[in-house]
Amino acid sequence: MTAQTDLNNSLLTAIQPDHGGRVILDPATGEPIGRAPEHSVVDLQEAIDAAKAAQPGWAALGHAQRTSLLNKAADAIEAHAEELARILSREQGKPLNGPNARFEVGACVAWLRAAADTPLEPETVVDDGTTRAVLTYRPLGVVAAIGPWNWPMMITVWQLGPALRMGNTVVVKPSEHTPLSVLALVKVINEALPAGVLSAVSGGREVGEALAGHPGVDKVMFTGSTATGKAIVRSSADTLKRLTLELGGNDPGIVLPDADPKAIAEGLFWGAFINTGQTCAALKRLYVHQDIYDQVCQAITDYAANVPMGVGLEEQNVLGPLQNASQYAIVKDLVQAAKDSGARILLGGNPDPEAKGYFYPTTLVADIDNTNPLVAQEQFGPALPIIKYTDIEDAVKMANALEVGLGASVWSSDREKAREVAARIEAGTVWINEHGAIDPRVPFGGAKQSGYGLEFGVEGLKHLGQPQIIKG
Ligand code: NAD
């Protein structure tokens, strides 16, 4: 199917305003793909009023009925999966194939079903014959779900799934870079939900700011940059809103000297380059022991050189463009600065100035200093710096040196040894011999300035409820 015929997407037509709106461009081609409504603060007030009005009825349905309706919503996503994946691919840039657009739609279904089905039983904290105390979780009220542009649909489901399951109503604010895919997702989920329970407002930072600071909002689920996370903390102060903040990362990976370079090359590659590097918990700086440094550099280069990048609707591609101009400029400038500092380019580093889209080639950079900005800053694109170390103490110190701590990984043929190193790393999740492999049953959240609060699993549900003790 060509890009042009793909515009005959009824879901895409249905979410566009009758007139006006903001034109959204395909980052792979520069072609317009649709118009997103520009909601005002008045629209936002209406959405919050509707969410407030719908919340008591939604809470009164109880867990079993909400579970059933959320599973129906997951059925609806499955029924529209290909349409959703195509909107996502065109808007975000990620290819249909590989761990990309179709995969993301599949993850929406999996995470929504997990939020619907995970049991959360009342917890008897004490029951000794004289004292009885039971911990339960009441709904919080209205939840704001504010998301980024890299995994726009999946992250929206991470936020709204547990919120709805716990009896809250939700107002979603997608990133201004990727509103269409999220509006389409919300429309599909709403096929299964009562009116007012879930709505979306589309607009820029000012709409996000108004939503996050609104007195009618009881909790903000936010995924995005650390800087915006801090702004949300400040705007939550007056009403003491509950917050879950999933913020930026700059994940280290440490390869121990006993690892097998050829065996780990594929895992290292996808750990770093999933979604063309635009993933919060992707491997962004790789520390390799000097004994196997050259072999690891060679193995990952051999693998990376054969991974196709291109327009997302073309089925053979599994890497795509950067999503927007500013992200492209960040990656280009950081790699250029690394080159200027004398670092060695193993692959890529030479963007085509004539390219129509924001394509930056898969780039591997060796012999780079740990203080280089390509290492120390969150580059959020398809460029991986590979740093040599001699002493594991230094590698752990370098891994822990930054203010962020989302994910990390340790690679070794000895799992026990890897776990010992993992326990010393300041990150919310440390993977062994893989990186970024999330699971709806396993809690996920950041350490240090990568945020606070947990998502997924039973812990994720608890973060969307008000704990209440009934004693006596
Ligand atoms: P961003 O912070 O620029 O924007 C995220 C959202 O916040 C957008 O919807 C935006 O409109 C809104 N917003 C902006 N200012 C606001 C304000 N003052 N109050 C309320 N909302 C406001 O982030 P981005 O550039 O879209 O996303 C990339 C960043 O997100 C990266 O740093 C990445 O690491 C991080 N991220 C983290 C996770 C995670 O799970 N930890 C997942 C994905 C992305």
Side-chain angles (χ1 to χ4, degrees):
M1 189 179 280
T2 67
Q4 199 52 44
T5 59
D6 201 65
L7 290 171
N8 300 327
N9 183 316
S10 58
L11 206 46
L12 185 55
T13 309
I15 56 171
Q16 297 188 53
D18 294 336
H19 308 284
R22 203 157 50 82
V23 175
I24 303 292
L25 304 178
D26 182 333
T29 61
E31 290 171 22
I33 58 170
R35 289 170 295 109
E38 289 271 43
H39 288 128
S40 65
V41 174
V42 175
D43 298 318
L44 174 65
Q45 184 64 48
E46 281 174 13
I48 293 172
D49 290 346
K52 238 186 165 37
Q55 195 274 327
W58 177 244
L61 288 180
H63 280 291
Q65 279 205 58
R66 290 196 299 270
T67 289
S68 160
L69 291 173
L70 291 173
N71 272 307
K72 288 203 172 98
D75 296 342
I77 298 173
E78 280 183 317
H80 291 280
E82 188 63 14
E83 263 179 302
L84 288 168
R86 285 179 178 273
I87 296 172
L88 177 62
S89 178
R90 295 219 59 205
E91 179 177 60
Q92 205 284 334
K94 62 183 68 191
L96 287 172
N97 274 329
N100 293 298
R102 289 181 180 128
F103 169 87
E104 181 166 347
V105 175
C108 291
V109 173
W111 259 268
L112 192 52
R113 292 203 195 285
D117 295 337
T118 299
L120 178 61
E121 303 298 341
E123 192 183 322
T124 304
V125 191
V126 182
D127 191 4
D128 63 5
T130 48
T131 301
R132 184 172 184 272
V134 177
L135 173 62
T136 56
Y137 292 84
R138 295 170 50 75
L140 286 160
V142 175
V143 172
I146 304 178
W149 48 260
N150 58 341
W151 292 89
M153 295 196 341
M154 180 177 76
I155 287 172
T156 298
V157 168
W158 291 358
Q159 298 174 332
L160 67 78
L164 293 174
R165 161 66 198 285
M166 293 302 288
N168 307 289
T169 51
V170 176
V171 178
V172 170
K173 205 304 264 177
S175 165
E176 51 274 38
H177 293 293
T178 50
L180 297 173
S181 49
V182 174
L183 294 175
L185 174 76
V186 167
K187 184 168 177 51
V188 168
I189 292 176
N190 267 329
E191 289 178 10
L193 301 183
V197 167
L198 171 66
S199 59
V201 286
S202 158
R205 293 186 159 254
E206 59 307 330
V207 177
E209 210 168 349
L211 178 59
H214 197 289
V217 168
D218 300 285
K219 163 135 195 172
V220 180
M221 297 289 289
F222 174 74
T223 299
S225 64
T226 297
T228 306
K230 289 178 183 176
I232 288 176
V233 172
R234 284 189 281 271
S235 68
S236 72
D238 281 346
T239 50
L240 287 180
K241 283 186 199 356
R242 275 48 179 168
L243 304 177
T244 294
L245 302 174
E246 298 285 3
L247 309 178
N250 192 347
D251 289 10
I254 299 179
V255 180
L256 301 184
D258 67 358
D260 175 348
K262 284 203 174 122
I264 63 174
E266 182 176 357
L268 288 173
F269 177 83
W270 285 110
F273 290 90
I274 184 166
N275 201 28
T276 315
Q278 302 162 106
T279 299
C280 52
L283 172 52
K284 297 201 177 86
R285 43 196 179 112
L286 183 62
Y287 298 94
V288 181
H289 192 270
Q290 62 175 3
D291 287 357
I292 56 166
Y293 186 80
D294 291 339
Q295 295 94 305
V296 170
C297 286
Q298 188 62 53
I300 189 168
T301 306
D302 290 346
Y303 187 87
N306 295 310
V307 181
M309 178 185 283
V311 174
L313 294 189
E314 292 171 7
E315 298 278 349
Q316 78 277 9
N317 294 322
V318 289
L319 296 171
L322 273 311
Q323 203 280 327
N324 55 69
S326 52
Q327 195 57 47
Y328 178 86
I330 289 170
V331 177
K332 182 167 163 279
D333 292 350
L334 284 172
V335 175
Q336 189 57 49
K339 280 161 89 169
D340 294 345
S341 77
R344 181 162 57 99
I345 300 290
L346 299 171
L347 186 71
N350 54 343
D352 174 3
E354 306 295 315
K356 263 200 284 171
Y358 301 123
F359 287 100
Y360 195 90
T362 304
T363 298
L364 295 167
V365 183
D367 300 339
I368 183 167
D369 193 85
N370 190 50
T371 58
N372 191 289
L374 183 66
V375 182
Q377 291 174 26
E378 185 192 30
Q379 37 81 8
F380 219 60
L384 179 67
I386 310 176
I387 305 106
K388 191 186 290 180
Y389 75 88
T390 50
D391 182 347
I392 185 63
E393 295 305 316
D394 291 338
V396 170
K397 213 182 277 175
M398 288 189 285
N400 288 339
L402 301 183
E403 286 173 340
V404 286
L406 188 54
S409 55
V410 182
W411 304 73
S412 168
S413 300
D414 179 344
R415 215 164 257 279
E416 264 320 302
K417 200 193 289 173
R419 287 186 185 128
E420 280 168 28
V421 176
R424 300 174 59 198
I425 298 180
E426 296 162 0
T429 304
V430 187
W431 289 277
I432 310 289
N433 293 335
E434 59 180 9
H435 196 114
I438 48 170
D439 182 319
R441 299 164 301 179
V442 179
F444 175 72
K448 303 201 278 188
Q449 293 193 27
S450 288
Y452 47 70
L454 288 171
E455 296 186 277
F456 314 167
V458 73
E459 292 303 323
L461 293 183
K462 288 179 180 177
H463 279 69
L464 269 309
Q466 171 58 49
Q468 180 179 53
I469 294 284
I470 304 215
K471 185 163 177 288

